[in-house]
Amino acid sequence: MTSPPPPSKPKPKPHRRVDNTPLGIAAMFGSVFFFSLMNVLVKLLVERFPVTEVTFFRNLFALIPVCIAIQMSGGFANGLRTAHPWGHLGRALIGMTTMVTMFWSFHLLPLGDAIALNFAAPLFLTALSVPLLAEKVGIHRWSAVLVGFLGVLIIARPSGDVFNLGAGVALIGAMGNAFAVIAIRQLSRTEPPNTIVFYFSLLTTLVLGLTLPFAWITPTLADWGLLVAMGILGGAGQLMVTRAYSLAPAAVVAPLNYTALLLAVLFGWLVWDEVPTGAMAVGAAVVMSSGLYILHRETRRKATPSKPVPPGSDD
């Protein structure tokens, strides 16, 4: 008489996203506040230290909250497992370039202007999604991109053959941000968010560490406090924005990111007595409106996947 087969082990339940829109909104506001404070510290520090040194410590000390989050969400054995090490390296190199140029723009421009130009990233992302992600972009979103770049020109105020260096650096950072989002989209198909953030912070720290012998200023005790605070704020902001998108729809939380411009203008006025110009205000409003319209069209497109998109769609 054969013995009955052993009972099969129950299959683990797949991870289910838990929607909590109020908590997602709070997380997005928290990330905006943390990043805004970080930007103030960055602008203070790049006035006295090389931008590569500031970026190095931004990522080094960001590992503190990131490692805590990984340990609390299952441990390093699961959090560090990856099947795409080269993908993480590429994302880190893109993100490092983006961060260096963005921080440099803080040194070259008023804080509000630099943040406003950084909001051109959705415009670059829409344009780049056609060749890199094979996404279809219709006349509505292309029109929003063109209008948004008009807003960029209003902020940058190019004159003849002369283009403001700070504006150019900020726009390079915005384009790099778009490439970084595309890299994150591709990695997030198989990689958990905390894993992506960890390898970005770690690899960027290692690469920038190679530059320190060539551009180094020894921090004072007070400077060390600012550097540590900058990194922790940056790491916490990254974790909170990831949490926001996991708790609530992008259409709800993404527009809240534009409150960063208001905080940048406020901190620029309080700390550096930077008064925004009329051109900056008008240009920022145009760029923000274009970004919000692109988000609206993208959300609307994803909300109706059952209908095939006819040729010549105005998506």
Side-chain angles (χ1 to χ4, degrees), residues 25 28 33 38 62 67 75 107 112 117 128 148 152 154 171 177-178 184 203 213 250 295 306 310-311:
I25 291 173
M28 178 56 84
F33 184 67
M38 182 203 76
C67 288
H107 177 62
L117 289 169
L128 292 171
V152 169
I154 294 173
L171 289 175
N177 194 9
I184 292 170
L203 292 172
L295 176 66
S306 58

Side-chain angles (χ1 to χ4, degrees), residues 193-312:
N194 286 351
T195 303
I196 296 174
V197 175
F198 173 82
Y199 281 113
F200 165 69
S201 300
L202 176 65
L203 292 172
T204 303
T205 300
L206 294 176
V207 173
L208 285 171
L210 300 175
T211 70
L212 295 182
F214 306 98
W216 171 263
I217 295 176
T218 302
T220 65
L221 183 61
D223 292 330
W224 280 116
L226 295 179
L227 290 166
V228 172
M230 171 191 63
I232 291 176
L233 287 168
Q238 281 182 289
L239 292 170
M240 292 199 75
V241 72
T242 302
R243 185 66 171 158
Y245 281 109
S246 71
L247 289 170
V252 175
V253 297
L256 304 178
N257 193 42
Y258 285 105
T259 57
L261 180 58
L262 301 178
L263 288 176
V265 171
L266 176 62
F267 287 135
W269 174 60
L270 292 176
V271 181
W272 293 276
D273 198 25
E274 297 171 347
V275 179
T277 64
M280 180 269 181
V282 172
V286 173
V287 171
M288 290 168 61
S289 299
S290 300
L292 290 172
Y293 186 74
I294 289 172
L295 176 66
H296 164 70
R297 297 298 300 184
E298 179 73 9
T299 305
R300 182 176 172 181
R301 181 178 67 87
K302 290 182 178 179
T304 56
S306 58
K307 291 185 179 181
V309 179

Side-chain angles (χ1 to χ4, degrees), residues 17 65-66 115 136 207 277 282 305:
R17 168 179 155 172
V66 171
I115 296 298
K136 182 176 179 59
V207 173
T277 64
V282 172

Side-chain angles (χ1 to χ4, degrees), residues 81-84 185-192:
R81 185 181 296 118
T82 178
H84 302 283
R185 280 188 185 180
Q186 294 171 335
L187 278 172
S188 62
R189 296 169 183 168
T190 57
E191 306 287 296

